[in-house]
Amino acid sequence: MFSANSRAWIHPLLCLIFSLVSLDVDGGPVPMTILQSAVAKGAVCLDGSPPAYHFSPGFGSGVNNWLVHMEGGGWCRNVEECVERKGNFRGSSKYMKPLSFSGILGDNQKANPDFYNWNRIKIRYCDGSSFTGDVEAVNPATNLHYRGGRVWRAIIDDLLAKGMNRAQNALLSGCSAGGLASILHCDNFRNLLPASAKVKCFSDAGYFIDAKDISGADSIKSFFTNVVNLHGSAKNLPSSCTSRLPQSMCFFPQHVVPTMRTPLFILNAAYDAWQIRNILAPSSADSGKAWTECKLDIKRCSSSQLQTLQGYRSQFLQALPASSSTGMFILSCHAHCQSGDQTTWQAADSPVIDKTRIAQAVGDWYYGRSAVRKIDCPYPCNSSCRNIDNE
């Protein structure tokens, strides 16, 4: 299932769409900062190259507000997979290209009314551990550096020095593996900012659940255990979780969120396309390839497969935090990552729950205009999913 050549764990098409060719109603490419000073701290990408981020300065009323968004892109759980990433932009800043900001990062007031004039940062993802790794030793045979936790801290320190230490409002966000990172680093982020600042966290498609696959195996649990062990992630996982549970269990949001102190908003599809393909029905559990078409297009699922998907939705909903203080927008779309592109964040035909678009829900929650805890009806009830299903 999880071979070194498998792209399922990296979902490159989605990441390229959101990272390189996002619908740009806001402007041209955003400059990339290569953080050379991080190298001396050992805060480097898998190949030893310096980490990078894109920074669009805030203006007007948003000059002291900071939105830090972490890029997604799967994980590598063994040497072979990490070596493969080392040869592309998922493991080296040498291969990173310019990108434009859109969606939650866009600077168009109509398209992104609550965050358009904030300081907006996108941290590039080049470590394969959701920014948690920290292994000192480097094998010269592979030259792999497992330093994601150091990368995150080096970039945050650089942003603090550039004015984030005076933040009045701040939001730590991310998509997919970056959405998981926004949960794992949330309380730490809060601790690094002024006590007077309003600090919250936002996870888009990062709520990966601890569930068995269709064969009854714990595929995702095994995978995450290998990631944590390889990257030495334990020291950067929330101690509020690792003090209670085995370390690798604390890579699952459902075991971390209940003890978080910082407000969190969860944006996720109940039929998350990546989770269906890789947690529920990975190739190792589907040797007969009966799920191949269903995984690619939910409309091609058989009645029994749809019943299984409804069961997965139930497991997903049960894994969500019960606290009413956690914001939620749980769509019934077959999609993955929805905040980084204008078409899903806020557009005329963006997906809605109760006539509310994602951008409005997140803004209402962040500013406390209303409590937001929206959970969609089961598939296929939401016709507004039509433009994003199966992406």
Side-chain angles (χ1 to χ4, degrees), residues 220-290:
I220 188 62
K221 187 178 295 182
S222 175
F223 185 86
F224 279 172
T225 297
N226 289 336
V227 171
V228 169
N229 291 341
L230 178 67
H231 291 264
S233 298
K235 66 185 73 174
N236 289 310
L237 298 177
S239 60
S240 60
C241 178
T242 56
S243 63
R244 300 178 295 109
L245 295 170
Q247 296 168 344
S248 60
M249 296 295 284
C250 298
F251 219 65
F252 288 103
Q254 69 200 76
H255 304 311
V256 173
V257 173
T259 56
M260 282 175 54
R261 304 183 308 277
T262 309
L264 173 69
F265 190 99
I266 300 167
L267 167 64
N268 229 100
Y271 310 89
D272 182 275
W274 189 93
Q275 293 196 40
I276 298 302
R277 294 170 191 167
N278 299 286
I279 297 180
L280 177 63
S283 58
S284 65
D286 184 32
S287 58
K289 299 185 178 180

Side-chain angles (χ1 to χ4, degrees), residues 22 32 38 66 72 109 136 149 151-152 185 197 218 232 258 263 300 302 316 335 362:
S22 292
M32 183 164 63
W66 293 74
Q109 184 174 6
E136 183 65 34
V151 165
W152 185 82
H185 288 292
D218 289 311
R300 296 183 181 180
S302 67
F316 184 87
V362 176

Side-chain angles (χ1 to χ4, degrees), residues 169-188:
N169 295 286
L171 181 64
L172 182 67
S173 73
C175 156
S176 193
L180 172 59
S182 70
I183 292 173
L184 299 179
H185 288 292
C186 183
D187 283 344
N188 190 17

Side-chain angles (χ1 to χ4, degrees), residues 18-32 54-57 97-103 105-108 120 122:
F18 292 131
S19 297
L20 302 179
V21 292
S22 292
L23 182 67
D24 182 21
V25 301
D26 310 291
V30 178
M32 183 164 63
H54 301 259
F55 181 21
S56 183
K97 304 293 185 183
L99 55 78
S100 298
F101 282 1
S102 189
L105 290 170
D107 66 359
N108 181 288
R120 288 157 291 117
K122 186 165 190 173

Side-chain angles (χ1 to χ4, degrees), residues 60 142 157 194 358 387:
T142 60
D157 284 346
I358 295 169
N387 294 326

